[in-house]
Amino acid sequence: MKKVILSSALFFLMYSKADACAWYDPDYDYFNLFTQTIIKDKSYVPFLHTMSNRFYGHEHYEIPNENIESWQKYFANSLSYLETQILVEKMPMKDVNAFKNGNAANSILQKLGTYKKHQEGIDYLIEAKYLEPFMRINYVESPDSWYRTSEEGSKNATQLDYEKTVAALTSLYKAAKNPEIKLRYGYQLVRFNHYTRNYASSRDTFKEFVEPLKLKSAPYYMALDQLAGAQRGLKMTDDANWNFFQVFMKSKSQKESAFISMQLSDSASFDNLLKRAQTPEEKNMAYFLLGYEDFSNPIPMMEKMYDIDPNSEILKVLAARSINELERNYLPVYLTDYDQKSDDPISVNEVAPEVKTSQKVEISFWQKIKNFFGNLFGTTKSSTPDKKSDQSEQDLLSNPNRIPFYSKNDNLWGKDPSSDYLNDFEKLTSKIKEKSTDEFWQIADAYLSFLKKDFKKSSETLTQIKTTNPEYLAQIDRMKMLNDITSQPNITAEYENYLMKTYPMIFADITKDDHSKIYGEDEPSTQEFLRDILANRYFIQGEEGKSFLMSNRLSDLQYNPNSKLVKSVHDFYKKTNKTDFEEKIIAKNIDDVGNIDAFFNVIYGDREMRLANFEQAKKHYDQAKGFTGIPRFEYTWNENETTEMKARKYGDSYNGFNHISSLIFGHNVFESFESEESQSMKAENVSDFPFIKNDMNKLELAEALVQLKKIGMGNDEKAAKANQLIGNLLYNTSILGYYREVFVMDVDNANSPKFHFYNTEEPTFKYYYKNFTQTSSIEPDNFNLAIDYYKKALASSKDQEQKARILFQMASAEQGKYYQYEAKNSFDLKYDDPDYDRKQTEYNNALTQTKNQKYRTYFAELKKNYSQTQTSKSLQGSCSYYDYFMKKQ
């Protein structure tokens, strides 16, 4: 058993959608609001739209095998489909032989009655089961092969005696009286010759043994598939394609294999197919394949198919695929819904006029997919939405037709990247629904109106549909609900009550409330879509706490302790007159954080500590004495690949409130976050301050700082020391300090997204807080706070050694200011830039110049006035950069 302790955010990130991961499934990037599989002919399910596999999965639909259905009919339907499948595909040959000899113990065979009743069929099954293990083409390795050979010991057709096998099958063919059984022996002959690479004999056998029977039942198309394979071996590509095409068109269970076998990689292949197509059915199917394979625009092919047969089932397949692609574009599951703003007053142009910072534009995942594969529908518009002017919140709330799916200012989609296609496709569906008797087209038309946010038209279309198809009815009900909820510009208490009464089953499990569930285990659902819609509406309405809790747990606040958001969530928690919806749906995500009020007050107190507002921090910490620890979990992976999750127990270690060492007032002598604090940190002399305990909680720490602040108002050495200790604490709890985790709701100083300078700007969410835990960050440190206290200490101190130490600490804080500057002024230089070396050198030189001119103030003073102190000399031995600075001219 291997035990690993992870933060719940890290665990979430490990199992969330990430396109860099090998197991990433792009079909988890849309909600599947329009169920493609409502098409009636389930044999076409594999050809619905998917980006995960070559074909759409069969998780919910097992395509009936016409060969099994044919055997069912042969046995006069005395066996069920499943029983027939077991008999034909899985039952051992010895059981069938026993039945032939009158010793049937198998319950399925007993249902057939006597052997003589089905003698020819039973004899064939015995022969077929004998041949089946050998029915593989013999592997012939190329001299240039680099891939693995066939498995050692595997059987293939060449291991059978060719002459004897052909003779036996021919004899059995001639002896059979039932044409269906005779046809099956013909199929075995064609297949055997194909798999032994006797391609010409396979072709001739088909003509001699299969064609004369003039039967077009399941075994015929099985034999035709083998003939096409033999023709491929004879380089008769057009004939092979045509016969695979016939199998694709007529067979239900062989469509996938026939499609793969067809070589339709160029326009000439399709042209040849169209030339040979004579019947409307053949032409329709050829156009389907063109529309399916053509990655530019399927509408022209759909128009031709409509002209042939507006009720065509395969026309619906292309429509379902197109709707699915539109949904992926319009309704992505994950949005990059935040900006990172920079308020640094220093422009990069002040560093180097030639160097410009790059504008980093985040795009949603579907846009990345579109950029990579090209626009599926051939539009030439940019995949990055154009910006529209902001609209007032009141305008949004007063005009339902302007309400976006997820947006505060309706600029998420901009000019819809597929808008031209959507309009053209809507024209086609509107035309087809007028002629087709299938309600599918009315449903499709209503869904396109929904995507265009014309909820009124969509609802009117749905109301007019009359159908008894249960799958259609389910889709209609879902879409009526989607129109109802998505069209609401404002979610009031009255509407919340309406939701609970009208859609009780939908809202019973709309929020995540199971810590142990791995996010991403289940495909995105209608419930998730509605959760996002409501979260967006609350966000627009300014109810940020409710918006947050629609997508996150209370404990998730620890990863982005945004003060305004925390206050809004806290206010919702304290709300006494919650609606039934708020109580049962939203409040479900107020998960176990121990003492809830203490949890909030620790966040408030931490914020005040980082701002050096020690008195305010003390007030909050006084209300946080019941804090039980930052919520973290232990995930245990067992040998059987199950996951066990337990709440972390802190014991005597730091838990977010208790067990803070007095070394937090010290200074580091060995810069290593991984080392024990006794190695990295050295204590200051705090004998004048007995209120500083060796082990403190945050309340005691705040009380100590309040007293130090008062003492620091004096002008003596004790005041200098007090201010130095405060400066040390502020620096030590910054992003550079050994105790950087103490005031940012973290449990240790291990590397994490919080502790990176490029990630210090607080994210500004634009639509909702769904991706909240994916951007773990903290507000940037104000290093000037520490520097100001150091300045007070420097002004009061008379001791040269102490002054040297203070100046070094000030220089360290100033270094933090430089790191912040550098992170905000990154240089986006392409590796293929012909002047890469020159530009990179100029950029680095400009940064070095700025660093030396603006961010080395205290190093320079230390070198100028205190280089002879013992402290300075000691620092040269422990700090390589300071040593370099002191020695350079």
Side-chain angles (χ1 to χ4, degrees):
M1 179 182 293
K2 180 181 180 182
K3 179 172 287 189
V4 182
I5 299 177
L6 300 172
S7 72
S8 55
L10 177 58
F11 190 75
F12 173 86
L13 290 172
M14 286 176 63
Y15 287 91
S16 65
K17 177 203 72 63
D19 54 295
C21 296
W23 50 264
Y24 166 67
D25 187 344
D27 279 351
Y28 281 59
D29 266 333
Y30 73 107
F31 294 101
N32 197 24
L33 301 181
F34 183 90
T35 307
Q36 295 186 87
T37 52
I38 64 172
I39 60 171
K40 293 175 181 176
D41 188 343
K42 304 307 180 188
S43 67
Y44 287 101
V45 165
F47 299 91
L48 295 173
H49 189 35
T50 176
M51 295 177 69
S52 302
N53 308 293
R54 177 70 183 271
F55 296 105
Y56 193 88
H58 306 299
E59 292 83 2
H60 305 295
Y61 297 97
E62 182 178 351
I63 298 171
N65 187 322
E66 58 269 34
N67 181 45
I68 302 301
E69 292 175 334
S70 177
W71 276 111
Q72 249 189 306
K73 183 179 180 181
Y74 174 82
F75 291 121
N77 294 314
S78 56
L79 301 179
S80 68
Y81 179 90
L82 180 58
E83 290 170 332
T84 308
Q85 187 178 36
I86 292 172
L87 169 60
V88 174
E89 296 180 350
K90 301 177 182 179
M91 189 174 293
M93 185 172 63
K94 64 177 183 178
D95 287 8
V96 186
N97 264 320
F99 176 68
K100 177 177 180 178
N101 296 325
N103 300 317
N106 190 292
S107 59
I108 292 177
L109 290 169
Q110 290 173 353
K111 289 186 177 182
L112 296 178
T114 63
Y115 159 69
K116 287 188 177 182
K117 186 177 180 181
H118 307 291
Q119 180 175 341
E120 285 193 350
I122 296 299
D123 286 345
Y124 171 80
L125 284 175
I126 292 172
E127 180 67 16
K129 288 178 181 293
Y130 167 74
L131 292 173
E132 191 59 33
F134 299 93
M135 287 300 104
R136 292 174 180 80
I137 199 163
N138 63 315
Y139 176 81
V140 178
E141 184 173 2
S142 165
D144 300 322
S145 291
W146 54 268
Y147 45 84
R148 68 179 182 87
T149 59
S150 58
E151 295 180 11
E152 186 177 350
S154 62
K155 296 180 179 180
N156 65 73
T158 61
Q159 293 171 346
L160 294 172
D161 185 289
Y162 179 80
E163 299 296 337
K164 288 183 178 180
T165 302
V166 169
L169 287 172
T170 302
S171 176
L172 290 167
Y173 174 91
K174 293 179 179 178
K177 300 290 190 270
N178 186 307
E180 190 77 11
I181 301 301
K182 188 182 286 288
L183 178 59
R184 290 186 180 279
Y185 284 119
Y187 154 69
Q188 294 288 358
L189 280 164
V190 176
R191 180 168 70 153
F192 179 64
N193 277 289
H194 174 203
Y195 285 168
T196 54
R197 298 184 184 272
N198 291 290
Y199 299 132
S201 296
S202 180
R203 177 196 58 194
D204 297 342
T205 299
F206 185 88
K207 291 180 179 179
E208 181 180 355
F209 292 92
V210 176
E211 283 185 347
L213 297 175
K214 300 186 183 302
L215 288 175
K216 295 294 182 72
S217 57
Y220 172 82
Y221 291 102
M222 293 162 63
L224 187 63
D225 184 71
Q226 296 296 322
L227 168 63
Q231 289 171 327
R232 174 67 44 76
L234 293 170
K235 309 299 182 184
M236 301 169 64
T237 303
D238 288 344
D239 288 338
N241 278 345
W242 178 252
N243 286 323
F244 281 130
F245 175 72
Q246 293 295 320
V247 175
F248 177 85
M249 185 167 56
K250 297 296 184 179
S251 171
K252 291 184 291 187
S253 61
Q254 292 180 267
K255 288 190 187 299
E256 281 187 38
S257 62
F259 179 83
I260 292 172
S261 298
M262 279 187 278
Q263 293 186 349
L264 303 175
S265 57
D266 52 45
S267 58
S269 301
F270 281 107
D271 289 342
N272 290 332
L273 205 62
L274 280 171
K275 288 177 183 177
R276 297 183 72 159
Q278 299 297 316
T279 68
E281 181 187 18
E282 290 172 343
K283 291 180 183 293
N284 199 36
M285 188 62 72
Y287 287 133
F288 168 77
L289 290 176
L290 276 168
Y292 179 82
E293 283 283 37
D294 188 356
F295 290 107
S296 58
N297 188 341
I299 288 182
M301 295 303 104
M302 295 176 70
E303 291 277 8
K304 294 179 180 294
M305 294 170 69
Y306 162 76
D307 291 337
I308 295 172
D309 181 10
N311 285 307
S312 168
E313 188 73 9
I314 52 179
L315 182 56
K316 288 160 51 182
V317 175
L318 290 182
R321 288 172 55 85
S322 297
I323 292 172
N324 183 266
E325 175 64 20
L326 284 168
E327 181 177 319
R328 291 169 188 260
N329 290 355
Y330 279 73
L331 308 177
V333 170
Y334 291 90
L335 302 176
T336 303
D337 63 337
Y338 53 83
D339 287 327
Q340 298 229 329
K341 298 182 179 179
S342 170
D343 56 2
D344 190 271
I346 304 173
S347 168
V348 73
N349 295 325
E350 295 180 30
V351 182
E354 300 178 12
V355 179
K356 305 288 186 181
T357 54
S358 62
Q359 180 181 5
K360 296 179 180 178
V361 180
E362 295 286 346
I363 60 176
S364 62
F365 181 76
W366 72 265
Q367 289 172 329
K368 295 177 185 177
I369 289 292
K370 298 282 282 188
N371 291 344
F372 185 75
F373 289 105
N375 194 315
L376 179 65
F377 300 122
T379 59
T380 58
K381 292 183 173 60
S382 168
S383 62
T384 304
D386 297 335
K387 296 288 185 182
K388 291 184 179 179
S389 58
D390 290 352
Q391 293 194 346
S392 69
E393 184 175 303
Q394 185 58 40
D395 180 41
L396 282 172
L397 299 180
S398 61
N399 188 349
N401 289 331
R402 294 293 294 163
I403 294 297
F405 286 103
Y406 321 103
S407 181
K408 192 167 186 177
N409 54 22
D410 203 19
N411 71 349
L412 174 61
W413 312 121
K415 287 185 178 180
D416 301 319
S418 301
S419 60
D420 290 342
Y421 181 84
L422 174 56
N423 291 329
D424 292 343
F425 185 56
E426 186 179 39
K427 291 177 184 177
L428 177 61
T429 57
S430 297
K431 182 169 62 174
I432 297 175
K433 77 174 184 178
E434 298 303 322
K435 282 195 175 184
S436 174
T437 59
D438 197 318
E439 298 88 359
F440 170 90
W441 295 104
Q442 298 177 64
I443 297 172
D445 194 54
Y447 191 78
L448 296 180
S449 297
F450 167 74
L451 287 183
K452 296 179 76 171
K453 293 178 284 188
D454 192 342
F455 307 119
K456 181 179 179 182
K457 180 182 176 183
S458 178
S459 298
E460 289 174 350
T461 303
L462 293 169
T463 302
Q464 297 170 6
I465 300 175
K466 307 296 181 184
T467 183
T468 57
N469 184 308
E471 290 186 297
Y472 286 1
L473 289 171
Q475 180 66 38
I476 291 168
D477 288 343
R478 180 190 299 117
M479 290 171 59
K480 285 181 177 179
M481 175 183 63
L482 292 173
N483 282 321
D484 180 2
I485 298 174
T486 309
S487 64
Q488 295 301 313
N490 194 15
I491 308 300
T492 63
E494 291 74 21
Y495 191 72
E496 287 176 344
N497 291 331
Y498 164 79
L499 291 176
M500 293 296 285
K501 293 177 182 178
T502 311
Y503 309 112
M505 297 302 294
I506 288 292
F507 287 94
D509 189 35
I510 197 171
T511 54
K512 297 175 295 182
D513 61 354
D514 181 4
H515 269 299
S516 63
K517 178 181 176 181
I518 298 174
Y519 193 81
E521 273 186 342
D522 301 321
E523 292 183 6
S525 63
T526 300
Q527 284 92 332
E528 281 194 55
F529 174 76
L530 293 176
R531 186 189 69 200
D532 290 354
I533 290 293
L534 293 172
N536 171 251
R537 298 300 185 263
Y538 291 133
F539 187 89
I540 292 174
Q541 293 166 201
E543 298 179 83
E544 295 186 346
K546 291 174 68 172
S547 178
F548 172 84
L549 289 171
M550 286 299 298
S551 306
N552 305 275
R553 302 182 180 96
L554 173 61
S555 57
D556 292 334
L557 285 173
Q558 63 188 291
Y559 303 110
N560 288 298
N562 175 305
S563 302
K564 181 183 175 183
L565 175 60
V566 171
K567 179 64 167 58
S568 183
V569 177
H570 197 188
D571 287 344
F572 173 76
Y573 162 68
K574 293 188 295 184
K575 183 179 178 182
T576 56
N577 58 336
K578 293 184 181 71
T579 66
D580 197 38
F581 183 90
E582 291 174 326
E583 195 70 58
K584 294 182 178 179
I585 305 301
I586 303 177
K588 280 170 63 178
N589 274 340
I590 299 180
D591 59 339
D592 184 11
V593 295
N595 185 311
I596 295 176
D597 284 312
F599 177 80
F600 282 110
N601 276 289
V602 166
I603 297 178
Y604 296 146
D606 287 353
R607 167 70 171 161
E608 298 298 341
M609 290 290 268
R610 297 185 77 230
L611 295 175
N613 297 328
F614 308 127
E615 295 84 0
Q616 291 299 317
K618 178 177 175 293
K619 292 178 182 179
H620 287 298
Y621 289 150
D622 190 53
Q623 300 178 62
K625 288 179 285 189
F627 187 70
T628 58
I630 295 174
R632 295 294 167 91
F633 301 92
E634 294 181 1
Y635 297 91
T636 303
W637 284 270
N638 301 315
E639 287 78 2
N640 58 0
E641 298 185 356
T642 60
T643 305
E644 182 182 357
M645 187 192 70
K646 294 180 180 179
R648 179 172 180 174
K649 296 181 180 179
Y650 290 93
D652 293 334
S653 62
Y654 173 69
N655 70 346
F657 190 77
N658 299 303
H659 303 299
I660 301 172
S661 168
S662 60
L663 282 171
I664 200 169
F665 288 108
H667 60 268
N668 71 294
V669 291
F670 178 60
E671 192 167 299
S672 171
F673 292 106
E674 294 82 12
S675 300
E676 294 293 328
E677 61 182 357
S678 59
Q679 292 180 283
S680 289
M681 302 299 296
K682 182 177 181 180
E684 300 283 358
N685 183 357
V686 295
S687 59
D688 289 339
F689 313 105
F691 48 82
I692 296 179
K693 302 177 182 179
N694 290 332
D695 184 90
M696 297 170 284
N697 61 35
K698 284 185 173 178
L699 176 59
E700 293 168 329
L701 180 61
E703 289 172 339
L705 285 162
V706 169
Q707 295 188 60
L708 287 172
K709 185 177 179 180
K710 290 179 181 178
I711 296 171
M713 292 178 181
N715 295 311
D716 55 8
E717 290 293 331
K718 188 174 182 180
K721 192 64 177 178
N723 285 315
Q724 181 184 5
L725 292 178
I726 296 175
N728 284 358
L729 176 130
L730 291 173
Y731 176 79
N732 290 336
T733 55
S734 75
I735 192 173
L736 292 176
Y738 184 84
Y739 297 97
R740 58 188 179 181
E741 77 277 12
V742 173
F743 299 135
V744 296
M745 290 297 285
D746 215 334
V747 296
D748 57 45
N749 65 20
N751 196 25
S752 80
K754 285 185 179 180
F755 304 137
H756 293 283
F757 281 95
Y758 63 79
N759 204 37
T760 55
E761 289 93 9
E762 181 181 323
T764 302
F765 292 86
K766 297 187 296 185
Y767 309 111
Y768 48 29
Y769 296 100
K770 182 175 183 178
N771 298 331
F772 189 80
T773 57
Q774 294 186 14
T775 312
S776 180
S777 66
I778 56 173
E779 298 169 13
D781 290 299
N782 184 350
F783 286 101
N784 286 328
L785 292 174
I787 290 174
D788 287 344
Y789 275 100
Y790 284 135
K791 284 180 179 179
K792 293 178 184 178
L794 195 65
S796 301
S797 178
K798 304 294 188 296
D799 183 273
Q800 294 294 95
E801 298 295 335
Q802 184 184 14
K803 284 187 173 185
R805 165 57 62 185
I806 293 170
L807 280 169
F808 182 78
Q809 291 298 111
M810 293 172 76
S812 298
E814 192 175 44
Q815 180 76 1
K817 293 178 65 175
Y818 170 74
Y819 289 147
Q820 290 175 334
Y821 167 81
E822 186 181 71
K824 292 176 182 178
N825 293 279
S826 60
F827 183 34
D828 185 17
L829 181 61
K830 306 298 183 185
Y831 284 111
D832 58 354
D833 191 308
D835 293 325
Y836 178 88
D837 291 336
R838 178 183 63 81
K839 291 179 179 179
Q840 185 65 47
T841 299
E842 290 177 353
Y843 173 70
N844 290 335
N845 290 340
L847 287 179
T848 300
Q849 180 182 356
T850 300
K851 177 168 57 177
N852 290 331
Q853 290 178 350
K854 296 184 177 182
Y855 296 99
R856 289 294 175 264
T857 308
Y858 305 112
F859 268 138
E861 185 176 350
L862 181 58
K863 177 180 179 179
K864 179 180 179 181
N865 299 321
Y866 299 92
S867 60
Q868 299 307 313
T869 63
Q870 187 61 39
T871 299
S872 177
K873 293 176 181 179
S874 175
L875 287 169
Q876 281 184 260
S878 61
C879 178
S880 59
Y881 183 83
Y882 179 62
D883 181 58
Y884 166 78
F885 186 85
M886 292 294 289
K887 292 178 179 178
K888 71 175 185 175
Q889 298 298 320

